[in-house]
Amino acid sequence: MKKTAIFISVLFLYSFCFSQSSKNLKQFIRGNIQDKISSIRNASQEENVSISLMALDFCLQNKAVLEDDRDLDALCLLSLLSLPYNYTDSLSQDEKAEFSEKILEIFNSFSDENVRIAVLNKISSGKLDSPSFVELLNSFLSDDFQNFSQDFYKNLISASGEIGNEQTFKILFEKYRDDSYKSFKSELKEAIVKLSDNSVKDITDIISSGNLSDLRFIFETIVQNEKKTQVFRSQIAENILSASIYITEDNSSLNELILLQVEVMKFLAESKWTRGSDTILKFYNLAKNEYTNGIMNTSDFCIVIKAVSETVPIKAVSLFSDYLIELNMQKENDADVQEEIVLALISALGAIGDKNAFDSLLSVTYYDYSDEVINKARSALAGLKW
């Protein structure tokens, strides 16, 4: 008796759901536009997708006749919004392409901005990267943002960041450079970062021909972005360091340039980026010259010394040993030698532990340095590997 009651209850529930589903579907097919809107609002989770897709087809079929009809716009918008956020995840490639073409046609057919924004959101959530869509977005991006509302243009940028190509990256970067687009800086920055993995050539081109502002932007948004791979970030950082060597800045910007160079060196050291030895050694010689001429301060040059020892340790031994002997000679001639630099060189050579540093470290102990320097040199000598 109990089992029979349960069966009857389940059967009643199924019959109720089926009848409700049929009711909404019938209302959509038979009704006017307002009835169709109502049927989507009342649709169950199971029937939501099928009715929403039918509604989109209806909108496309009747757009030419009804033209800019507000009710048709509302139906189209509701149909797009009713589709689940992850709707395209379960589709096959062919189904995804078909859906992509459908909403592309909607975007081109409907001028209502709410409808177009809904399409852009579907592009972003489904990553519908069809060539037609990318071309369309690039075309809209290239247009003056003043021809659209801010909300539309922000959604346009976000969608472009999800499916864009190298051309998209170039357009977005030019917009970011343009001060008239400052109200879109956040969206532009996020989209540029998303597209950066597939835009390495464009990034290196910007770095090689860019200015200090461009280098700083790329360093902060891409190199310091921990979501990117370490190798990718290090390659970009090395390119920034290489380009910075050839940038000529006036006195007002020189400190900013040196600050960027030191930050890049610290990053490369933390990454143990040994592949960039030529660039790193070239920068070391520049930094040494800047320090000698009073352009780079002592603290920054110490950071450079440490970074060089961690990225190109073997090649650094002869450089540091020669410089240490040079400073010893200055000490012998009663010149003012910064012991902070001497300590940095000793620490670096001691950490590397190469026996070829023996002579330069030993010579330190023969000069009138502080006890701290002498003791540091002796400790480094004791730690050399023979």
Side-chain angles (χ1 to χ4, degrees):
M1 186 72 179
K2 188 175 182 181
K3 288 183 179 180
T4 303
I6 294 174
F7 175 77
I8 293 173
S9 298
V10 171
L11 183 62
F12 174 78
L13 182 61
Y14 175 81
S15 300
F16 176 77
C17 290
F18 182 79
S19 63
Q20 287 296 104
S21 175
S22 298
K23 179 182 177 182
N24 287 321
L25 187 57
K26 289 175 182 177
Q27 182 184 19
F28 179 86
I29 294 171
R30 290 174 176 170
N32 57 29
I33 293 180
Q34 286 299 327
D35 291 332
K36 294 181 189 304
I37 290 174
S38 177
S39 68
I40 294 175
R41 285 176 174 164
N42 296 327
S44 65
Q45 191 173 8
E46 291 76 13
E47 63 187 350
N48 172 56
V49 170
S50 59
I51 294 182
S52 294
L53 291 176
M54 287 176 62
L56 291 179
D57 289 335
F58 175 85
C59 291
L60 286 171
Q61 291 163 6
N62 295 279
K63 175 63 177 173
V65 176
L66 296 178
E67 298 180 336
D68 293 330
D69 183 89
R70 286 190 176 183
D71 288 341
L72 189 68
D73 289 344
L75 175 62
C76 188
L77 176 62
L78 180 61
S79 303
L80 288 166
L81 295 178
S82 296
L83 290 172
Y85 179 83
N86 60 346
Y87 164 64
T88 59
D89 290 355
S90 60
L91 299 183
S92 67
Q93 286 301 113
D94 289 342
E95 290 171 333
K96 200 170 184 179
E98 183 181 348
F99 179 71
S100 179
E101 288 304 314
K102 180 180 294 188
I103 63 171
L104 174 61
E105 187 179 352
I106 288 171
F107 189 94
N108 287 325
S109 302
F110 284 76
S111 59
D112 182 83
E113 201 166 76
N114 292 322
V115 172
R116 285 186 159 183
I117 289 174
V119 171
L120 292 174
N121 288 332
K122 290 301 173 189
I123 295 173
S124 298
S125 62
K127 293 183 171 53
L128 303 174
D129 54 348
S130 72
S132 300
F133 254 138
V134 175
E135 184 180 350
L136 176 70
L137 296 186
N138 287 347
S139 174
F140 271 79
L141 277 177
S142 299
D143 203 349
D144 192 324
F145 76 92
Q146 294 179 349
N147 295 328
F148 314 102
S149 72
Q150 280 211 356
D151 192 31
F152 173 82
Y153 204 77
K154 286 181 178 180
N155 279 277
L156 179 68
I157 294 169
S158 298
S160 300
E162 294 293 345
I163 69 168
N165 55 16
E166 292 182 0
Q167 181 62 29
T168 316
F169 182 90
K170 292 177 183 177
I171 297 171
L172 292 172
F173 198 87
E174 286 304 314
K175 300 298 183 185
Y176 189 89
R177 280 172 163 169
D178 190 340
D179 287 340
S180 61
Y181 286 79
K182 60 185 178 182
S183 58
F184 304 103
K185 289 288 187 183
S186 177
E187 289 79 15
L188 286 167
K189 179 179 176 180
E190 184 176 350
I192 288 169
V193 171
K194 286 182 177 180
L195 294 177
S196 61
D197 289 340
N198 297 318
S199 306
V200 176
K201 183 181 181 301
D202 297 296
I203 294 172
T204 53
D205 287 346
I206 291 168
I207 291 172
S208 61
S209 61
N211 52 33
L212 177 57
S213 176
D214 289 339
L215 299 189
R216 169 58 70 179
F217 171 75
I218 292 173
F219 179 73
E220 291 180 347
T221 57
I222 297 176
V223 175
Q224 293 187 322
N225 189 327
E226 295 183 356
K227 293 181 181 179
K228 303 297 180 182
T229 67
Q230 196 73 13
V231 171
F232 174 68
R233 296 160 66 198
S234 298
Q235 288 174 334
I236 300 301
E238 184 190 343
N239 274 277
I240 292 174
L241 185 64
S242 178
S244 74
I245 295 172
Y246 302 100
I247 291 180
T248 303
E249 293 290 330
D250 55 34
N251 291 334
S252 61
S253 302
L254 190 55
N255 289 337
E256 293 180 28
L257 176 62
I258 291 174
L259 177 62
L260 175 62
Q261 291 170 332
V262 171
E263 288 181 34
V264 173
M265 280 297 294
K266 287 170 67 176
F267 174 83
L268 292 174
E270 291 168 0
S271 302
K272 306 297 182 188
W273 188 247
T274 58
R275 300 185 198 177
S277 59
D278 291 344
T279 301
I280 291 168
L281 292 173
K282 189 178 293 184
F283 174 68
Y284 167 77
N285 290 324
L286 172 67
K288 180 185 174 185
N289 184 61
E290 288 177 339
Y291 169 71
T292 302
N293 290 292
I295 299 173
M296 180 179 287
N297 63 43
T298 302
S299 178
D300 284 342
F301 189 45
C302 287
I303 292 173
V304 172
I305 290 172
K306 186 176 186 296
V308 170
S309 72
E310 293 176 352
T311 48
V312 285
I314 302 304
K315 293 182 179 181
V317 174
S318 60
L319 290 175
F320 293 168
S321 295
D322 290 347
Y323 190 32
L324 197 52
I325 290 173
E326 181 184 332
L327 293 177
N328 289 340
M329 295 297 293
Q330 292 178 18
K331 187 70 171 177
E332 185 175 7
N333 294 323
D334 295 325
D336 183 22
V337 176
Q338 291 290 324
E339 290 198 348
E340 191 176 346
I341 298 296
V342 178
L343 285 168
L345 292 168
I346 293 171
S347 295
L349 289 170
I352 296 169
D354 191 288
K355 62 183 179 180
N356 291 309
F358 176 81
D359 290 339
S360 59
L361 289 171
L362 180 62
S363 66
V364 171
T365 64
Y366 298 142
Y367 292 95
D368 188 24
Y369 288 112
S370 67
D371 289 343
E372 181 184 6
V373 172
I374 300 297
N375 292 335
K376 191 77 173 179
R378 286 172 178 162
S379 296
L381 282 167
L384 295 180
K385 300 165 188 173
W386 296 89

